[in-house]
Amino acid sequence: MSILIKLSEIKNTSSKIEQKIIEFILKNTEKIKFLNTYEIAENCSVSQASIVRFAKKMGFIGFPEFKISVIESLGQVAHEKKISIIDEEIKNEDTTKDTAEKLLSKNIISLENSIKITNFIELDKAIKSIGKARKILILGSGLSGIVAKYFQYKLLELGFLGIYDFDQHVQLSHLSALTEKDIIFVISQSGKSLDTYNLLKKIKNKNI
C-alpha cells in the first residue's frame, strides 16, 4: 500500500491540523527524508506532538517508521513512472481514439491505486458480514445514491435482500425495522455528505 496515495485519499476528510501535515508532506516528499519532527512541525505551524500523533494514527509505531514508508513510496513512484501521451490530460484537439486511450489509462491507474490502499482484511470481514446478513440497508445520496442503487440491483441478482431508496426520509424509516441480523452499508464518494452524516448520527443514537 502506498502511503502517498493514502495521504491523498484522506486529505479532504482529515482535521485541519492533519491537512496541514498532509499538504506539506505531499508538496515536499523529496525533502521529508532530511527533516525531523521539529522541522516539519515548524513548517506546518503545528506541535511536534501533532506530527507524532499523526504518524501513529496512520498505523506506524512512530515518525521514523512513517518517514521510511514515505521514502519507499517515492522509490515506487519513480519506478512506475512512465512518460506517455495517454497519461496527459484530455485536450480539445484530441482525436476520439486519443480520448478513449487517455480515459482507459486513467481508469487503469485509478483501479491500481484502489488496490494499493485497500485493507483486504477489513474487506473480507465486510464480505462475510454481507453474506450472513438477513437484509442490507444501503445509504447514499446524490451521485453516491446512483452507485447505491446499482449496488442494490447487484445484491438482488446474487440473492441478497438489498434495500435502498433515493428519499432520505424513506431510508430513515427503514431503520426502525433493523435487527442484529441486518447490516447498514454506507456509500459516500466525498465522505462529507451532510445528509448521509445526519443519517449515520441518528443510527448511532439508536445504537443500531
Side-chain angles (χ1 to χ4, degrees):
M1 177 188 298
S2 171
I3 187 65
L4 296 179
I5 294 174
K6 188 172 183 179
L7 290 176
S8 298
E9 291 289 328
I10 68 170
K11 184 176 69 173
N12 294 330
T13 55
S14 299
S15 67
K16 290 183 179 179
I17 290 177
E18 290 169 348
Q19 284 180 2
K20 287 182 179 180
I21 298 171
I22 293 171
E23 286 175 3
F24 178 78
I25 291 172
L26 292 177
K27 290 179 181 178
N28 301 275
T29 49
E30 295 288 349
K31 298 179 182 178
I32 294 299
K33 66 177 79 173
F34 305 111
L35 302 177
N36 56 37
T37 54
Y38 173 77
E39 292 167 324
I40 294 176
E42 283 286 300
N43 280 283
C44 298
S45 299
V46 301
S47 67
Q48 279 184 273
S50 295
I51 303 297
V52 176
R53 280 196 296 269
F54 178 72
K56 290 183 177 179
K57 184 176 180 180
M58 295 301 296
F60 298 92
I61 297 173
F63 180 75
E65 291 76 16
F66 173 80
K67 186 160 71 170
I68 289 172
S69 181
V70 171
I71 295 170
E72 288 177 345
S73 293
L74 276 174
Q76 184 179 358
V77 170
H79 178 71
E80 295 177 349
K81 188 175 181 181
K82 298 177 181 178
I83 301 176
S84 173
I85 185 174
I86 60 175
D87 289 328
E88 297 175 358
E89 294 297 324
I90 295 173
K91 302 173 183 177
N92 290 332
E93 60 268 25
D94 286 342
T95 65
T96 303
K97 184 174 183 293
D98 287 339
T99 302
E101 287 178 341
K102 287 180 180 181
L103 287 173
L104 175 62
S105 176
K106 295 295 182 184
N107 285 330
I108 290 173
I109 292 171
S110 178
L111 289 170
E112 288 175 343
N113 288 342
S114 295
I115 290 175
K116 290 175 183 176
I117 66 172
T118 297
N119 185 327
F120 284 96
I121 294 176
E122 293 300 319
L123 180 59
D124 286 338
K125 289 180 182 178
I127 293 171
K128 289 180 181 178
S129 295
I130 290 174
K132 295 177 182 178
R134 182 176 66 99
K135 61 183 176 183
I136 302 120
L137 175 60
I138 309 164
L139 303 181
S141 61
L143 291 175
S144 297
I146 297 173
V147 178
K149 192 65 178 177
Y150 180 75
F151 182 51
Q152 180 196 23
Y153 289 147
K154 288 301 177 183
L155 286 174
L156 292 173
E157 286 179 358
L158 293 170
F160 296 104
L161 180 55
I163 300 173
Y164 175 75
D165 196 286
F166 283 105
D167 190 318
Q168 291 280 319
H169 296 289
V170 177
Q171 289 186 34
L172 183 59
S173 68
H174 284 295
L175 298 180
S176 60
L178 293 181
T179 70
E180 293 180 353
K181 295 181 180 180
D182 306 320
I183 64 172
I184 299 172
F185 195 99
V186 182
I187 298 176
S188 177
Q189 182 177 0
S190 66
K192 298 185 292 184
S193 171
L194 185 60
D195 290 337
T196 302
Y197 172 78
N198 288 333
L199 268 177
L200 288 174
K201 198 171 180 181
K202 290 177 181 178
I203 291 169
K204 187 175 181 180
N205 291 336
K206 289 176 177 289
N207 294 319
I208 296 175

